[in-house]
Amino acid sequence: MKAEGEGTGPYYEFIAVLCGQKYTMPLGLVFGRYPAFFVYKSARMSNYLHKGKPNPIYLLSPLDPTLFIKSLRHELKMELSYREGCPQPDSKLGLWYYCKALFSYEDKERYVFRCEDMQKIGGECRPYSRAYGCIVELLVVLTKLQAGIKEPWFLEYARGLKWCVERSSNEDERLVSISDEILRSIEGYIG
């Protein structure tokens, strides 16, 4: 059951890096008294989280939004350094946090965890850009589709987000190509 103040604020987007597994995944945390996140039961990450004990998770707020797609491609996990099964935060990648995630409750589609102990552990970030936000939102749509969640408005929304990336990045080739790739993936899931 949801605790008072748990997950009542805005979403903040991170890349979760698990201890004990070389696994990364974009992850949105809802801030409140206890930052909370959910993982769809159909997502691979749900197999790596424990209900009965704390889950140490490192959270990266990346300087470069293309790291989100690298995490989905399973490339980022190979670029990180690990010690005793946990990632070694690299400040060149962005701002890092540590989260001791505890199982809170589950519903029909997902497990909900809260960060009992969330600490900033290093790195820095720069001002948030509109293109960055649109790429992240494209990835939210993609990861929902990958988890089997499909809404009729996803495709039109994703096309608008791709346009947002083009406009707000002044057609930065690197960001536009990433948004193209994500949109093609979304189209592949929708058919």
Side-chain angles (χ1 to χ4, degrees):
M1 172 167 268
K2 194 172 186 175
E4 183 182 337
E6 180 181 274
T8 56
Y11 275 98
Y12 291 87
E13 299 296 333
F14 296 95
I15 297 171
V17 187
L18 304 183
C19 286
Q21 297 288 334
K22 283 194 176 180
Y23 181 79
T24 63
M25 175 182 162
L27 185 69
L29 266 74
V30 183
F31 272 73
R33 182 171 166 209
Y34 296 106
F37 64 91
F38 68 84
V39 178
Y40 287 107
K41 292 178 179 179
S42 57
R44 195 166 120 200
M45 185 174 172
S46 70
N47 298 321
Y48 300 137
L49 298 174
H50 306 283
K51 290 184 182 178
K53 62 180 184 178
N55 297 276
I57 299 175
Y58 287 76
L59 300 165
L60 169 62
S61 178
L63 292 170
D64 181 352
T66 63
L67 291 182
F68 284 106
I69 194 75
K70 284 182 104 173
S71 81
L72 282 177
R73 287 184 196 144
H74 306 292
E75 295 170 0
L76 181 61
K77 67 184 178 186
M78 305 311 288
E79 295 176 15
L80 299 173
S81 297
Y82 295 84
R83 193 168 101 209
E84 296 177 14
C86 291
Q88 295 298 290
D90 181 347
S91 61
K92 291 181 290 219
L93 297 178
L95 183 59
W96 289 84
Y97 291 85
Y98 171 80
C99 163
K100 183 172 78 176
L102 301 174
F103 175 75
S104 186
Y105 66 95
E106 67 182 277
D107 61 26
K108 182 179 170 186
E109 298 177 329
R110 60 195 188 173
Y111 299 112
V112 180
F113 291 82
R114 72 177 188 278
C115 290
E116 181 93 352
D117 179 24
M118 187 159 168
Q119 306 167 19
K120 179 181 169 185
I121 55 174
E124 59 183 56
C125 64
R126 65 174 64 108
Y128 193 79
S129 74
R130 189 175 309 146
Y132 189 124
C134 293
I135 287 172
V136 168
E137 195 64 17
L138 273 166
L139 287 166
V140 168
V141 172
L142 177 58
T143 56
K144 283 185 179 204
L145 287 166
Q146 289 173 332
I149 309 302
K150 190 174 180 181
E151 296 289 341
W153 50 268
F154 277 1
L155 186 55
E156 198 59 37
Y157 181 56
R159 288 178 176 149
L161 291 167
K162 182 191 174 308
W163 176 86
C164 170
V165 172
E166 291 169 355
R167 295 282 297 176
S168 62
S169 72
N170 289 324
E171 298 188 14
D172 179 297
E173 186 178 316
R174 188 174 62 91
L175 298 179
V176 170
S177 69
I178 284 291
S179 67
D180 285 339
E181 179 183 337
I182 299 167
L183 181 60
R184 282 192 307 274
S185 296
I186 289 169
E187 289 168 341
Y189 279 95
I190 291 177

